[in-house]
Amino acid sequence: LRFTFAIEDAEKAVAMVKKIAVFKSGGEFNDSILAKEYGEGVYAYFIIRSEKKTEQESLLFDGYMIQEDEPLGLNLQSAFSTTESLQKIGYNPVLTRFVTEWRFSTLNYKVNVFDIEGIGAFIEFALPQTDLEKTREIQNKAFELAVKRIGLKQKDALPTDAITLQFISTQGEKTKGKAETNFTLGQ
């Protein structure tokens, strides 16, 4: 499960999240994001990430609850060749972004803080998959306590990830005038 909150200030949020979770990694990145739709509103993403300072490229996958057995057959020598390979298996470029990211972790969930240029700042909670009812109850209680402790309201949580929010908002911008769209980022 993922829950995302729109926030005013990423750096203030990082200070609050440090009270509930352990910092794991972060940095400033240029991302090219490719998406594949698996169902209405269900996407998997490959992120071709370039670290701002070193320009080192890496390939990340974000596809919670997706089980795909397709062999990738990727050439990871350059972003261009990787993009071509991903398009062959159905992942299409959907957006680029400059993001500053902080990643945190606890035993029961992960927390990411994003500051996405031109879009805004977000806190994303990710509760790991489990088939055990008791484990889910423990994760949910820990999540509820964490949200309260850092001053957020659970009713403001959007049940999705930050990439999907950004992707949906850009789709809304592209269809203005063509179709009715009432989604705006942060609402």
Side-chain angles (χ1 to χ4, degrees), residues 98-170:
F98 176 73
V99 62
T100 304
E101 184 174 302
W102 298 263
R103 294 186 173 271
F104 298 85
S105 185
T106 73
L107 291 175
N108 294 307
Y109 54 83
K110 294 185 184 308
V111 184
N112 299 320
V113 179
F114 302 101
D115 193 355
I116 305 169
E117 189 175 284
I119 301 296
F122 302 91
I123 295 179
E124 176 185 285
F125 286 82
L127 283 64
Q129 179 180 348
T130 183
D131 293 329
L132 303 173
E133 186 72 29
K134 190 67 175 167
T135 301
R136 179 59 75 207
E137 287 176 25
I138 292 167
Q139 290 172 339
N140 282 334
K141 286 184 195 266
F143 164 70
E144 290 169 11
L145 287 170
V147 166
K148 188 174 184 178
R149 188 163 177 208
I150 62 176
L152 298 172
K153 293 183 175 99
Q154 197 165 347
K155 68 177 181 66
D156 295 334
L158 298 168
T160 191
D161 59 281
I163 293 175
T164 299
L165 287 176
Q166 185 177 3
F167 177 48
I168 289 170
S169 73
T170 60

Side-chain angles (χ1 to χ4, degrees), residues 6 16 32 34 40 42 46 48 72-73 94 99 112 116 126-127 139 142 147 149 169 185:
M16 296 300 291
S32 294
L34 294 92
E40 190 173 331
V42 178
F46 273 101
I48 301 172
L72 295 179
V94 292
V99 62
N112 299 320
I116 305 169
L127 283 64
Q139 290 172 339
V147 166
R149 188 163 177 208
S169 73
L185 212 48

Side-chain angles (χ1 to χ4, degrees), residues 43-90:
Y43 299 92
Y45 303 99
F46 273 101
I47 304 151
I48 301 172
R49 174 164 279 180
S50 175
E51 204 278 326
K52 182 181 176 187
K53 292 178 183 163
T54 65
E55 295 186 10
Q56 179 179 346
E57 289 184 342
S58 55
L59 180 65
L60 308 171
F61 178 75
D62 189 347
Y64 62 98
M65 300 190 318
I66 301 294
Q67 295 178 353
E68 184 169 337
D69 294 327
E70 177 112 25
L72 295 179
L74 295 176
N75 177 354
L76 296 176
Q77 294 180 350
S78 72
F80 178 76
S81 63
T82 301
T83 299
E84 282 185 339
S85 296
L86 289 170
Q87 286 178 306
K88 288 178 184 174
I89 60 170

Side-chain angles (χ1 to χ4, degrees), residues 17-53:
V17 172
K18 284 182 179 179
K19 296 177 182 180
I20 62 166
V22 176
F23 177 75
K24 294 295 185 179
S25 67
E28 296 178 315
F29 308 101
N30 290 308
D31 291 345
S32 294
I33 300 172
L34 294 92
K36 183 175 183 179
E37 188 170 12
Y38 283 85
E40 190 173 331
V42 178
Y43 299 92
Y45 303 99
F46 273 101
I47 304 151
I48 301 172
R49 174 164 279 180
S50 175
E51 204 278 326
K52 182 181 176 187
K53 292 178 183 163

